[in-house]
Coordinates of all heavy atoms in Angstrom, one line a residue:
M1 N -6.8 9.7 -9.9 CA -5.9 9.6 -8.8 C -5.2 8.2 -8.8 O -5.9 7.2 -9.1 CB -6.6 9.9 -7.5 CG -5.7 9.7 -6.3 SD -6.5 10.0 -4.7 CE -8.2 10.1 -4.9
R2 N -3.9 8.1 -8.5 CA -3.3 6.8 -8.5 C -3.1 6.4 -7.0 O -2.7 7.2 -6.1 CB -1.9 6.8 -9.1 CG -2.0 7.1 -10.5 CD -0.6 7.1 -11.1 NE -0.7 6.2 -12.3 CZ 0.4 5.9 -13.0 NH1 1.6 6.3 -12.6 NH2 0.3 5.0 -14.0
V3 N -3.5 5.1 -6.7 CA -3.4 4.6 -5.3 C -2.6 3.3 -5.3 O -2.9 2.4 -6.2 CB -4.8 4.5 -4.7 CG1 -4.7 3.8 -3.3 CG2 -5.5 5.7 -4.7
T4 N -1.7 3.2 -4.4 CA -1.0 1.9 -4.2 C -1.2 1.4 -2.9 O -1.0 2.1 -1.8 CB 0.6 2.1 -4.4 OG1 0.8 2.6 -5.7 CG2 1.3 0.7 -4.2
V5 N -1.8 0.2 -2.8 CA -2.1 -0.5 -1.5 C -0.9 -1.4 -1.1 O -0.6 -2.3 -1.9 CB -3.4 -1.2 -1.6 CG1 -3.7 -2.0 -0.2 CG2 -4.6 -0.3 -1.9
V6 N -0.3 -1.1 0.0 CA 0.8 -2.0 0.4 C 0.3 -2.9 1.6 O -0.1 -2.3 2.6 CB 2.0 -1.2 0.9 CG1 3.2 -2.1 1.3 CG2 2.5 -0.3 -0.3
H7 N 0.3 -4.1 1.4 CA -0.3 -5.1 2.4 C 0.7 -6.1 2.7 O 1.1 -6.9 1.7 CB -1.6 -5.7 1.8 CG -2.4 -6.3 2.9 ND1 -2.3 -7.7 3.2 CD2 -3.4 -5.8 3.7 CE1 -3.2 -7.9 4.2 NE2 -3.8 -6.8 4.6
W8 N 1.2 -6.2 3.9 CA 2.3 -7.1 4.3 C 2.0 -8.6 4.1 O 2.7 -9.4 3.6 CB 2.7 -6.8 5.7 CG 3.9 -7.6 6.1 CD1 3.9 -8.6 7.0 CD2 5.3 -7.6 5.6 NE1 5.1 -9.2 7.1 CE2 6.0 -8.6 6.3 CE3 5.9 -6.8 4.7 CZ2 7.3 -8.8 6.1 CZ3 7.2 -7.0 4.4 CH2 7.9 -8.0 5.1
F9 N 0.8 -9.0 4.6 CA 0.4 -10.4 4.6 C -0.4 -10.7 3.4 O -1.0 -9.8 2.7 CB -0.4 -10.7 5.9 CG 0.4 -10.6 7.1 CD1 0.3 -9.5 8.0 CD2 1.3 -11.6 7.4 CE1 1.0 -9.5 9.2 CE2 2.1 -11.5 8.6 CZ 1.9 -10.4 9.4
P10 N -0.6 -12.0 3.0 CA -1.3 -12.3 1.8 C -2.8 -11.8 1.8 O -3.4 -11.9 2.9 CB -1.3 -13.9 1.8 CG -0.1 -14.2 2.6 CD 0.0 -13.2 3.6
L11 N -3.2 -11.3 0.7 CA -4.6 -10.7 0.7 C -5.7 -11.8 0.9 O -6.8 -11.5 1.4 CB -4.8 -10.2 -0.7 CG -4.0 -8.9 -1.0 CD1 -4.3 -8.6 -2.5 CD2 -4.5 -7.8 -0.2
E12 N -5.4 -13.1 0.6 CA -6.4 -14.1 0.7 C -6.8 -14.3 2.2 O -7.9 -14.8 2.5 CB -5.8 -15.4 0.2 CG -5.6 -15.5 -1.3 CD -4.4 -14.7 -1.8 OE1 -3.6 -14.3 -1.0 OE2 -4.4 -14.5 -3.0
Q13 N -6.0 -13.9 3.2 CA -6.3 -14.0 4.6 C -7.1 -12.8 5.2 O -7.4 -12.9 6.3 CB -5.1 -14.3 5.4 CG -4.4 -15.6 4.9 CD -3.1 -15.7 5.6 OE1 -2.8 -15.1 6.6 NE2 -2.2 -16.6 5.1
F14 N -7.3 -11.8 4.4 CA -7.8 -10.6 5.0 C -8.9 -10.0 4.1 O -8.6 -9.2 3.2 CB -6.7 -9.5 5.1 CG -5.7 -9.9 6.1 CD1 -4.5 -10.6 5.7 CD2 -5.8 -9.6 7.4 CE1 -3.6 -11.0 6.6 CE2 -4.8 -10.1 8.3 CZ -3.8 -10.8 7.9
P15 N -10.2 -10.3 4.4 CA -11.3 -9.9 3.6 C -11.4 -8.3 3.6 O -11.9 -7.8 2.6 CB -12.5 -10.5 4.3 CG -12.0 -11.8 4.8 CD -10.6 -11.4 5.3
P16 N -11.1 -7.6 4.6 CA -11.2 -6.1 4.6 C -10.3 -5.6 3.5 O -10.7 -4.6 2.8 CB -10.8 -5.7 6.0 CG -11.1 -6.8 6.8 CD -10.8 -8.1 6.1
A17 N -9.1 -6.1 3.3 CA -8.2 -5.6 2.3 C -8.8 -6.0 0.9 O -8.7 -5.2 -0.1 CB -6.8 -6.3 2.4
Q18 N -9.4 -7.1 0.8 CA -10.1 -7.5 -0.5 C -11.2 -6.5 -0.8 O -11.4 -6.1 -2.0 CB -10.6 -8.9 -0.4 CG -9.5 -10.0 -0.3 CD -10.1 -11.4 0.0 OE1 -11.3 -11.6 -0.2 NE2 -9.3 -12.3 0.4
N19 N -12.0 -6.2 0.2 CA -13.1 -5.3 0.0 C -12.6 -3.9 -0.4 O -13.2 -3.2 -1.3 CB -13.9 -5.2 1.3 CG -14.7 -6.4 1.6 OD1 -14.9 -7.2 0.7 ND2 -15.0 -6.6 2.9
L20 N -11.5 -3.4 0.2 CA -10.8 -2.1 -0.3 C -10.5 -2.2 -1.7 O -10.7 -1.2 -2.5 CB -9.7 -1.8 0.6 CG -8.9 -0.7 0.2 CD1 -9.7 0.7 0.4 CD2 -7.6 -0.5 1.0
L21 N -9.8 -3.2 -2.2 CA -9.5 -3.3 -3.5 C -10.7 -3.4 -4.5 O -10.6 -2.8 -5.5 CB -8.6 -4.6 -3.8 CG -7.2 -4.4 -3.1 CD1 -6.4 -5.7 -3.3 CD2 -6.3 -3.2 -3.8
R22 N -11.7 -4.1 -4.1 CA -12.9 -4.1 -4.9 C -13.6 -2.7 -5.0 O -14.1 -2.3 -6.0 CB -13.9 -5.1 -4.3 CG -13.5 -6.5 -4.6 CD -14.6 -7.5 -4.1 NE -14.1 -8.8 -4.2 CZ -13.9 -9.6 -3.1 NH1 -14.2 -9.2 -1.9 NH2 -13.5 -10.9 -3.3
F23 N -13.6 -2.0 -3.8 CA -14.1 -0.6 -3.9 C -13.3 0.3 -4.8 O -13.8 1.1 -5.4 CB -14.0 -0.1 -2.4 CG -14.5 1.3 -2.3 CD1 -15.8 1.7 -2.4 CD2 -13.5 2.3 -2.1 CE1 -16.2 3.0 -2.3 CE2 -13.9 3.6 -2.0 CZ -15.2 4.0 -2.1
L24 N -12.0 0.2 -4.7 CA -11.1 1.0 -5.6 C -11.3 0.7 -7.1 O -11.3 1.6 -7.9 CB -9.7 0.9 -5.1 CG -9.3 1.5 -3.8 CD1 -7.8 1.1 -3.4 CD2 -9.5 2.9 -3.7
R25 N -11.6 -0.6 -7.3 CA -11.8 -1.1 -8.7 C -13.1 -0.4 -9.2 O -13.1 0.0 -10.4 CB -11.9 -2.5 -8.8 CG -12.4 -3.1 -10.1 CD -12.9 -4.5 -10.1 NE -14.0 -4.6 -9.3 CZ -14.6 -5.6 -8.8 NH1 -14.0 -6.8 -9.1 NH2 -15.6 -5.6 -8.0
D26 N -14.1 -0.3 -8.4 CA -15.4 0.2 -8.9 C -15.4 1.7 -9.0 O -16.2 2.3 -9.7 CB -16.5 -0.2 -7.9 CG -16.7 -1.7 -7.9 OD1 -16.3 -2.3 -8.9 OD2 -17.2 -2.3 -7.0
S27 N -14.4 2.4 -8.3 CA -14.3 3.8 -8.5 C -13.7 4.2 -9.8 O -12.7 3.7 -10.1 CB -13.5 4.3 -7.3 OG -13.3 5.7 -7.4
E28 N -14.4 5.1 -10.5 CA -13.9 5.5 -11.8 C -12.8 6.5 -11.7 O -12.0 6.7 -12.7 CB -15.0 6.1 -12.6 CG -16.1 5.1 -12.9 CD -17.3 5.6 -13.7 OE1 -17.2 6.9 -14.0 OE2 -18.3 4.9 -14.0
Q29 N -12.6 7.2 -10.6 CA -11.6 8.2 -10.5 C -10.2 7.7 -9.9 O -9.3 8.5 -9.8 CB -12.1 9.3 -9.6 CG -13.4 9.9 -10.1 CD -14.0 10.9 -9.1 OE1 -13.6 10.9 -8.0 NE2 -14.9 11.6 -9.6
V30 N -10.2 6.4 -9.6 CA -9.0 5.8 -8.9 C -8.4 4.8 -9.8 O -9.1 3.9 -10.4 CB -9.4 5.2 -7.6 CG1 -8.1 4.6 -7.0 CG2 -9.9 6.3 -6.7
D31 N -7.0 4.9 -10.0 CA -6.3 3.9 -10.7 C -5.4 3.2 -9.6 O -4.5 3.8 -9.0 CB -5.4 4.5 -11.7 CG -4.5 3.5 -12.5 OD1 -5.0 2.4 -12.5 OD2 -3.5 3.9 -13.1
A32 N -5.7 1.9 -9.2 CA -5.1 1.3 -8.1 C -4.2 0.1 -8.5 O -4.5 -0.5 -9.4 CB -6.2 0.9 -7.1
C33 N -3.2 -0.2 -7.7 CA -2.5 -1.4 -7.7 C -2.1 -1.8 -6.3 O -2.3 -1.1 -5.4 CB -1.2 -1.3 -8.6 SG 0.1 -0.3 -7.7
C34 N -1.7 -3.1 -6.1 CA -1.5 -3.6 -4.8 C -0.1 -4.3 -4.7 O 0.2 -5.1 -5.7 CB -2.6 -4.6 -4.4 SG -2.4 -5.3 -2.8
L35 N 0.6 -4.1 -3.7 CA 1.8 -4.8 -3.4 C 1.6 -5.7 -2.1 O 1.2 -5.1 -1.1 CB 2.9 -3.8 -3.2 CG 3.2 -2.7 -4.2 CD1 4.2 -1.7 -3.7 CD2 3.7 -3.4 -5.5
T36 N 1.8 -7.0 -2.3 CA 1.6 -7.9 -1.1 C 2.6 -9.0 -1.2 O 3.4 -9.0 -2.1 CB 0.2 -8.3 -1.2 OG1 -0.1 -9.1 0.0 CG2 -0.1 -9.2 -2.4
T37 N 2.4 -9.9 -0.3 CA 3.3 -11.1 -0.2 C 2.5 -12.3 -0.8 O 1.3 -12.3 -1.0 CB 3.8 -11.5 1.2 OG1 2.6 -11.6 2.1 CG2 4.6 -10.4 1.7
S38 N 3.3 -13.4 -1.1 CA 2.7 -14.6 -1.7 C 1.8 -15.3 -0.9 O 1.9 -15.3 0.4 CB 3.8 -15.5 -2.2 OG 4.6 -15.9 -1.2
N39 N 0.9 -16.0 -1.4 CA -0.1 -16.8 -0.8 C 0.5 -18.2 -0.5 O 0.6 -19.0 -1.3 CB -1.3 -17.0 -1.6 CG -2.3 -17.9 -1.1 OD1 -2.3 -18.2 0.1 ND2 -3.3 -18.3 -1.8
D40 N 0.9 -18.4 0.8 CA 1.7 -19.6 1.1 C 0.8 -20.6 1.9 O 1.3 -21.6 2.4 CB 3.0 -19.4 1.9 CG 2.8 -18.6 3.1 OD1 1.6 -18.1 3.4 OD2 3.7 -18.4 3.9
R41 N -0.5 -20.3 2.1 CA -1.4 -21.1 2.9 C -2.3 -22.0 2.1 O -3.1 -22.7 2.7 CB -2.2 -20.3 3.9 CG -1.4 -19.4 4.7 CD -1.2 -20.0 6.1 NE -0.2 -19.2 6.9 CZ -0.4 -18.9 8.0 NH1 -1.5 -19.2 8.7 NH2 0.6 -18.2 8.7
G42 N -2.3 -21.9 0.8 CA -3.1 -22.8 0.0 C -4.6 -22.2 -0.3 O -5.4 -23.0 -0.9
Y43 N -4.8 -21.0 0.1 CA -6.1 -20.4 -0.2 C -6.2 -20.1 -1.7 O -5.2 -19.9 -2.4 CB -6.3 -19.1 0.6 CG -6.4 -19.2 2.0 CD1 -5.3 -18.8 2.9 CD2 -7.5 -19.7 2.6 CE1 -5.4 -19.0 4.3 CE2 -7.6 -19.8 4.0 CZ -6.5 -19.5 4.8 OH -6.6 -19.5 6.2
P44 N -7.4 -20.1 -2.3 CA -7.6 -19.7 -3.6 C -7.0 -18.3 -3.9 O -7.3 -17.4 -3.1 CB -9.1 -19.8 -3.9 CG -9.6 -20.6 -2.8 CD -8.7 -20.4 -1.6
D45 N -6.3 -18.1 -5.0 CA -5.7 -16.8 -5.2 C -6.8 -15.8 -5.5 O -7.8 -15.9 -6.1 CB -4.8 -16.9 -6.4 CG -3.5 -17.6 -6.2 OD1 -3.1 -17.7 -5.0 OD2 -2.9 -18.1 -7.2
F46 N -6.6 -14.6 -4.8 CA -7.5 -13.4 -5.0 C -7.0 -12.6 -6.1 O -5.7 -12.3 -6.2 CB -7.5 -12.7 -3.7 CG -8.3 -11.4 -3.8 CD1 -9.6 -11.3 -3.8 CD2 -7.6 -10.2 -3.9 CE1 -10.3 -10.2 -3.8 CE2 -8.3 -9.0 -4.0 CZ -9.7 -9.0 -4.0
F47 N -7.9 -12.1 -6.9 CA -7.4 -11.1 -8.0 C -8.6 -10.3 -8.2 O -9.8 -10.5 -8.0 CB -7.0 -11.9 -9.3 CG -8.2 -12.6 -9.9 CD1 -8.9 -12.0 -10.9 CD2 -8.5 -13.9 -9.6 CE1 -10.0 -12.7 -11.5 CE2 -9.5 -14.6 -10.2 CZ -10.2 -14.0 -11.1
V48 N -8.3 -9.0 -8.7 CA -9.3 -8.0 -9.1 C -9.0 -7.7 -10.6 O -7.9 -7.6 -11.0 CB -9.1 -6.8 -8.2 CG1 -10.2 -5.7 -8.6 CG2 -9.3 -7.2 -6.7
D49 N -10.1 -7.5 -11.3 CA -9.9 -7.3 -12.8 C -9.0 -6.2 -13.2 O -8.1 -6.4 -14.0 CB -11.3 -7.2 -13.4 CG -12.3 -8.3 -13.2 OD1 -11.8 -9.4 -13.0 OD2 -13.4 -8.1 -13.2
V50 N -9.3 -5.1 -12.7 CA -8.5 -3.9 -13.2 C -7.3 -3.5 -12.4 O -6.4 -2.9 -12.8 CB -9.5 -2.7 -13.2 CG1 -8.8 -1.4 -13.7 CG2 -10.7 -3.0 -14.1
C51 N -7.2 -4.1 -11.1 CA -6.2 -3.7 -10.2 C -5.1 -4.8 -10.3 O -5.3 -5.9 -9.8 CB -6.7 -3.6 -8.8 SG -5.5 -3.3 -7.6
P52 N -3.9 -4.5 -10.8 CA -2.8 -5.5 -10.8 C -2.3 -5.7 -9.3 O -2.2 -4.7 -8.5 CB -1.7 -4.8 -11.6 CG -2.0 -3.4 -11.7 CD -3.4 -3.3 -11.4
I53 N -2.0 -7.0 -9.1 CA -1.5 -7.3 -7.8 C -0.1 -7.9 -8.0 O 0.2 -8.8 -8.7 CB -2.4 -8.4 -7.1 CG1 -3.7 -7.8 -6.8 CG2 -1.8 -8.8 -5.8 CD1 -4.8 -8.7 -6.4
F54 N 0.9 -7.2 -7.3 CA 2.3 -7.7 -7.4 C 2.7 -8.4 -6.1 O 2.4 -7.8 -5.0 CB 3.3 -6.5 -7.6 CG 2.9 -5.6 -8.9 CD1 2.2 -4.5 -8.7 CD2 3.3 -6.1 -10.1 CE1 1.9 -3.8 -9.9 CE2 3.0 -5.4 -11.2 CZ 2.2 -4.3 -11.1
R55 N 3.3 -9.6 -6.2 CA 3.5 -10.3 -5.0 C 5.0 -10.7 -4.9 O 5.7 -10.9 -5.8 CB 2.8 -11.7 -5.1 CG 1.3 -11.5 -5.1 CD 0.6 -12.9 -5.2 NE -0.8 -12.8 -5.4 CZ -1.7 -12.8 -4.4 NH1 -1.2 -13.0 -3.1 NH2 -3.0 -12.6 -4.6
R56 N 5.5 -10.7 -3.6 CA 6.8 -11.1 -3.3 C 6.8 -12.3 -2.3 O 5.7 -12.5 -1.6 CB 7.5 -9.9 -2.6 CG 7.8 -8.8 -3.5 CD 8.8 -7.9 -3.1 NE 10.1 -8.6 -2.8 CZ 11.2 -8.0 -2.4 NH1 11.2 -6.8 -2.2 NH2 12.3 -8.7 -2.3
N57 N 7.8 -12.9 -2.2 CA 7.9 -14.1 -1.2 C 7.8 -13.6 0.2 O 8.4 -12.5 0.5 CB 9.1 -14.9 -1.4 CG 9.2 -15.7 -2.6 OD1 8.1 -16.0 -3.2 ND2 10.3 -16.0 -3.1
F58 N 7.1 -14.3 1.0 CA 7.0 -13.9 2.4 C 8.2 -14.5 3.2 O 8.6 -15.6 3.0 CB 5.7 -14.5 3.0 CG 5.4 -14.0 4.4 CD1 4.9 -12.8 4.6 CD2 5.8 -14.8 5.5 CE1 4.6 -12.3 5.9 CE2 5.5 -14.3 6.8 CZ 4.9 -13.1 7.0
P59 N 8.9 -13.7 4.0 CA 10.1 -14.2 4.7 C 9.7 -15.2 5.8 O 8.9 -14.9 6.7 CB 10.7 -12.9 5.3 CG 9.6 -11.9 5.3 CD 8.7 -12.3 4.3
V60 N 10.2 -16.4 5.6 CA 9.9 -17.5 6.6 C 11.2 -18.0 7.3 O 12.3 -17.8 6.8 CB 9.1 -18.6 5.9 CG1 7.8 -18.2 5.5 CG2 9.8 -19.2 4.8
I61 N 11.0 -18.7 8.3 CA 12.2 -19.2 9.1 C 13.0 -20.1 8.3 O 14.3 -20.1 8.5 CB 11.7 -20.0 10.3 CG1 11.0 -19.0 11.3 CG2 12.8 -20.7 11.0 CD1 11.9 -18.0 12.0
R62 N 12.5 -20.9 7.4 CA 13.4 -21.9 6.6 C 14.3 -21.2 5.7 O 15.2 -21.8 5.1 CB 12.5 -22.9 5.9 CG 11.6 -22.4 4.9 CD 10.8 -23.5 4.2 NE 9.9 -23.0 3.3 CZ 8.6 -22.7 3.5 NH1 8.1 -22.9 4.7 NH2 7.8 -22.2 2.6
M63 N 14.1 -19.9 5.4 CA 15.0 -19.1 4.6 C 16.2 -18.8 5.4 O 16.2 -18.7 6.7 CB 14.4 -17.8 4.1 CG 13.3 -18.0 3.1 SD 12.6 -16.4 2.7 CE 11.4 -16.8 1.5
G64 N 17.3 -18.5 4.8 CA 18.5 -18.0 5.4 C 18.2 -16.7 6.2 O 17.4 -16.0 5.8
R65 N 19.0 -16.5 7.2 CA 18.9 -15.2 8.0 C 19.0 -14.0 7.1 O 18.2 -13.0 7.2 CB 19.9 -15.2 9.1 CG 19.9 -14.0 10.0 CD 20.9 -14.0 11.0 NE 20.7 -15.1 11.9 CZ 21.5 -15.5 12.8 NH1 22.7 -14.9 12.9 NH2 21.2 -16.6 13.5
F66 N 20.0 -14.0 6.2 CA 20.3 -12.8 5.4 C 19.2 -12.6 4.3 O 18.8 -11.4 4.0 CB 21.7 -12.8 4.8 CG 22.7 -12.7 5.9 CD1 23.6 -13.8 6.2 CD2 22.9 -11.5 6.6 CE1 24.5 -13.7 7.2 CE2 23.8 -11.4 7.6 CZ 24.7 -12.5 7.9
K67 N 18.7 -13.7 3.8 CA 17.7 -13.6 2.7 C 16.4 -13.0 3.4 O 15.7 -12.2 2.8 CB 17.4 -14.9 2.0 CG 16.4 -14.8 0.9 CD 16.3 -16.1 0.2 CE 15.4 -15.9 -1.0 NZ 15.2 -17.1 -1.8
R68 N 16.1 -13.5 4.6 CA 14.9 -13.2 5.3 C 15.0 -11.6 5.6 O 14.1 -10.9 5.5 CB 14.7 -14.0 6.5 CG 13.4 -14.0 7.0 CD 13.1 -15.0 8.1 NE 13.9 -14.8 9.3 CZ 14.7 -15.7 9.9 NH1 14.8 -16.9 9.4 NH2 15.5 -15.4 10.9
L69 N 16.2 -11.2 6.1 CA 16.4 -9.8 6.4 C 16.3 -8.9 5.2 O 15.7 -7.9 5.2 CB 17.8 -9.7 7.0 CG 18.1 -8.2 7.4 CD1 17.2 -7.7 8.5 CD2 19.6 -8.2 7.9
W70 N 16.8 -9.4 4.1 CA 16.7 -8.7 2.8 C 15.2 -8.5 2.4 O 14.8 -7.4 2.0 CB 17.5 -9.4 1.7 CG 17.2 -8.7 0.3 CD1 16.5 -9.4 -0.7 CD2 17.6 -7.5 -0.1 NE1 16.4 -8.5 -1.8 CE2 17.1 -7.3 -1.4 CE3 18.3 -6.4 0.4 CZ2 17.3 -6.2 -2.2 CZ3 18.4 -5.2 -0.3 CH2 17.9 -5.1 -1.6
L71 N 14.5 -9.6 2.5 CA 13.1 -9.5 2.1 C 12.3 -8.5 3.0 O 11.4 -7.8 2.6 CB 12.4 -10.9 2.2 CG 12.8 -11.8 1.0 CD1 12.2 -13.2 1.2 CD2 12.4 -11.2 -0.3
L72 N 12.6 -8.6 4.3 CA 11.9 -7.7 5.3 C 12.3 -6.2 5.0 O 11.4 -5.3 5.0 CB 12.4 -8.0 6.7 CG 11.8 -9.2 7.3 CD1 12.5 -9.6 8.6 CD2 10.3 -9.1 7.5
L73 N 13.5 -5.9 4.7 CA 14.0 -4.5 4.5 C 13.6 -4.0 3.0 O 13.3 -2.8 2.9 CB 15.5 -4.4 4.7 CG 16.0 -4.6 6.0 CD1 17.5 -4.5 6.1 CD2 15.3 -3.6 7.0
S74 N 13.6 -4.8 2.0 CA 13.3 -4.4 0.7 C 11.8 -4.3 0.3 O 11.4 -3.7 -0.7 CB 14.1 -5.3 -0.3 OG 13.5 -6.6 -0.3
F75 N 11.0 -5.0 1.1 CA 9.6 -5.0 0.8 C 9.0 -3.6 0.7 O 8.3 -3.3 -0.3 CB 8.8 -5.8 1.8 CG 7.3 -5.9 1.5 CD1 6.8 -6.7 0.5 CD2 6.4 -5.1 2.2 CE1 5.5 -6.7 0.1 CE2 5.0 -5.2 1.9 CZ 4.6 -5.9 0.9
P76 N 9.1 -2.7 1.6 CA 8.5 -1.3 1.6 C 9.1 -0.5 0.5 O 8.4 0.4 0.0 CB 8.7 -0.7 2.9 CG 9.3 -1.8 3.8 CD 9.8 -2.9 3.0
I77 N 10.3 -0.8 0.0 CA 10.9 0.0 -1.0 C 10.4 -0.4 -2.4 O 10.0 0.4 -3.1 CB 12.5 -0.2 -0.9 CG1 13.0 0.3 0.3 CG2 13.1 0.5 -2.1 CD1 14.4 0.0 0.6

C-alpha cells in the first residue's frame, strides 16, 4: 500500500508526526513518503531511511503577498 503524509509545518517540531513516519517505515506492507515545509527554526533535520521527505518553503511575512499566496494554494496540490 502507498501512503503519502502531508504535514503543513516542519516535521522537526512535531514528534507525533516523526513517530508516524517511523512506524510506517517499519511496516513491510506500506510504501510511504512525506510532503512538508522547510525547517526554518534551526532544529536538526529529521529524516527516515526508507521514506523520502519532500520539502517546500514555508510562506512567511517577509515574502511578497503573491508569492506567499501561491505557496499557500499550491502546497496541497
Side-chain angles (χ1 to χ4, degrees):
M1 174 179 15
R2 296 180 129 189
V3 175
T4 300
V5 176
V6 179
H7 195 268
W8 180 252
F9 293 105
L11 292 173
E12 290 76 12
Q13 299 174 18
F14 295 91
Q18 295 174 13
N19 292 339
L20 173 65
L21 291 175
R22 287 184 188 114
F23 174 78
L24 293 174
R25 173 198 61 193
D26 294 339
S27 176
E28 295 177 4
Q29 300 172 350
V30 176
D31 182 24
C33 70
C34 180
L35 306 171
T36 187
T37 54
S38 60
N39 175 16
D40 60 350
R41 306 263 172 132
Y43 293 108
D45 286 338
F46 173 77
F47 66 93
V48 180
D49 298 335
V50 181
C51 178
I53 298 174
F54 302 100
R55 296 179 187 267
R56 291 198 60 179
N57 289 335
F58 189 79
V60 293
I61 293 291
R62 65 180 176 263
M63 293 179 176
R65 179 181 299 169
F66 293 110
K67 184 173 182 178
R68 199 169 65 232
L69 180 64
W70 170 251
L71 289 174
L72 285 169
L73 295 176
S74 67
F75 181 77
I77 296 171

